[in-house]
Amino acid sequence: MTLKLETIRFDTEMPKIPETLPIVRCVAPDFDARARGVEALAERLDLGKLSDVDTEFGRARASERGAVEVFAASGAIWSENIQHDQDGKDEFRDWPDLEKGRDRDGEPVLTLGREMAARATDLATELIEIGQFDMKHALQPEVRLTQVAEANEKGETLRTGAAEATVVIGYELEGLAVIGAGAKTLVDIVPGRGDLIPTGAVNVWRTPRGVEKLRIGGREAALAAGLLEDPDLAIAVEKGGSITIQRMRLGLMAMPAAVHQGILFPALEYEARVDFEDEKQGHYFIGRVAPVASAKAYAEIGLGSAHFGLGMH
C-alpha cells in the first residue's frame, strides 16, 4: 500500500530536497591499518595482558579486563574496560559538577557543568588521537550523561542521578549529516578520585573515496521513494491511525558496523507518532530511515538498488 502525502501531518519543517544529491563511495579500514591504534587504546584503557581473539564480527585484542575489537565489515573499533562496571556497587556515579537542565522534549535531566564537560572533551580528544581515529569530517563533540534512578517496590522514585558520561561526535559529508549507526565516535568516561577515567571508545567510520551525483527529482519524488512506502505507516493507516511526522532530517546513510557498505547514500531519518480516535488503542511511535531515490535513479549511474532499500520495499 502506497500512502498519499495528504494523509500525513507534518509537525516539523521538511528539509529541502534538491533535484540531485550526492552518494559517497567509501572503504573500510582493515585490521592492519587499525593495529597501532588498537594496541595504544588497550594500553590507555589499562586492559593488561592481551591475547588475539577471533570474534563474530572480526578480530580483537582481549583480556580479563576488556577488549579492543575491529569489525571486519566496516573497520570499526569497539573498546571497553569492564573492570570499572564490576567495581561499582550500582550505576550511580559521584560526579562533582552536576547541573539541572532539560532535554529536547523538555524533560528534566542532569548535565555536566562547563568545567567538567570541558575536561571530558579533552579526555575524549586524547583517546581519539591515541586510537588514530579519522576525524577529518567530524562535527563538534557533545557530552551526554546517562540518567539513572532508583525506585521502591511501588515504583516511587527514591533518588535520581547520573551514570557514565559519553562524548558523542557525529560526521558530515558534502554538506549533509551522516546518519545511522555507522558514523559515530563515542568515548565513555567515569569520575575517579580527583580525575576522569576513560572506560571505552567506539569509532565507526568508513573512509570516503569519491562522490557522484544521484537524481532525486525533488521533495515529492523523494517521499514517494521511501516514506510513502513505509509498511508500518501503511498498517497504521489501515487500522484507522493518523500519522504525524515529528522530526525529520536529510542525510547520508551509514549502515551499522557489522554491515558491509561501499556507498553512503541519501536518506530521510524521521520519527512519527501514530494516534487513534479510540483511547483504548492509545498511540505509539515509529522511528525510521527511508531512502529518497528510486531504483531507476540508481540504475542510471550503474548501481543496483538492492542495498539502498532499507527493508522498505
Side-chain angles (χ1 to χ4, degrees):
M1 174 183 174
T2 300
L3 298 173
K4 294 182 179 180
L5 186 57
E6 53 267 25
T7 64
I8 300 176
R9 176 185 172 187
F10 290 85
D11 267 0
T12 185
E13 184 177 354
M14 187 177 299
K16 294 181 180 179
I17 302 178
E19 290 295 312
T20 63
L21 283 169
I23 62 167
V24 179
R25 295 186 181 274
C26 55
V27 297
D30 60 22
F31 188 87
D32 290 338
R34 288 291 209 178
R36 291 180 62 184
V38 166
E39 294 297 326
L41 274 176
E43 182 178 353
R44 182 62 180 85
L45 293 174
D46 193 25
L47 297 187
K49 185 177 180 181
L50 302 170
S51 59
D52 291 319
V53 177
D54 290 328
T55 68
E56 180 181 0
F57 299 113
R59 295 167 58 188
R61 296 280 285 159
S63 72
E64 292 182 352
R65 298 179 186 175
V68 183
E69 180 177 1
V70 177
F71 285 64
S74 63
I77 281 184
W78 174 88
S79 62
E80 182 182 30
N81 183 324
I82 63 173
Q83 194 70 43
H84 300 287
D85 289 335
Q86 295 173 348
D87 291 343
K89 61 181 181 180
D90 54 36
E91 293 181 287
F92 288 84
R93 297 292 181 174
D94 187 18
W95 290 99
D97 185 16
L98 289 179
E99 297 180 357
K100 294 181 179 179
R102 292 191 178 275
D103 63 17
R104 66 181 184 178
D105 295 317
E107 296 297 322
V109 294
L110 294 171
T111 63
L112 287 184
R114 181 177 298 180
E115 180 181 349
M116 190 61 63
R119 289 175 59 188
T121 302
D122 289 344
L123 180 55
T125 300
E126 178 192 340
L127 268 288
I128 287 167
E129 292 174 353
I130 287 173
Q132 300 183 10
F133 298 168
D134 181 0
M135 307 301 286
K136 295 185 184 69
H137 303 282
L139 298 171
Q140 290 298 309
E142 176 186 353
V143 182
R144 300 176 186 172
L145 269 181
T146 300
Q147 309 293 307
V148 292
E150 181 182 0
N152 60 23
E153 296 178 353
K154 297 179 180 179
E156 298 168 334
T157 301
L158 299 178
R159 62 172 174 152
T160 59
E164 66 184 6
T166 302
V167 178
V168 181
I169 305 174
Y171 289 82
E172 183 179 82
L173 280 172
E174 300 298 310
L176 293 172
V178 185
I179 60 178
K184 61 186 177 184
T185 291
L186 311 173
V187 179
D188 294 327
I189 298 166
V190 296
R193 294 180 179 178
D195 204 355
L196 298 181
I197 302 171
T199 62
V202 175
N203 176 241
V204 193
W205 180 246
R206 300 163 178 90
T207 306
R209 281 290 184 262
V211 180
E212 298 179 44
K213 289 295 184 180
L214 180 67
R215 182 178 59 82
I216 305 299
R219 186 187 73 169
E220 287 74 16
L223 294 176
L227 187 148
L228 297 180
E229 295 290 339
D230 187 325
D232 289 331
L233 294 182
I235 291 171
V237 170
E238 289 177 346
K239 292 182 177 179
S242 60
I243 299 168
T244 302
I245 303 296
Q246 297 183 317
R247 295 189 181 94
M248 176 178 283
R249 67 170 175 164
L250 177 67
L252 294 170
M253 180 62 186
M255 304 297 280
V259 177
H260 289 277
Q261 184 180 18
I263 299 285
L264 303 179
F265 56 94
L268 277 173
E269 182 182 65
Y270 56 91
E271 296 177 18
R273 173 171 170 147
V274 179
D275 290 278
F276 296 90
E277 291 185 5
D278 185 351
E279 294 184 358
K280 293 181 180 180
Q281 290 181 278
H283 68 271
Y284 60 90
F285 297 91
I286 295 174
R288 186 78 81 243
V289 177
V292 296
S294 65
K296 182 179 179 181
Y298 283 108
E300 288 174 354
I301 59 173
L303 293 172
S305 62
H307 297 295
F308 311 102
L310 295 170
M312 299 295 295
H313 301 291

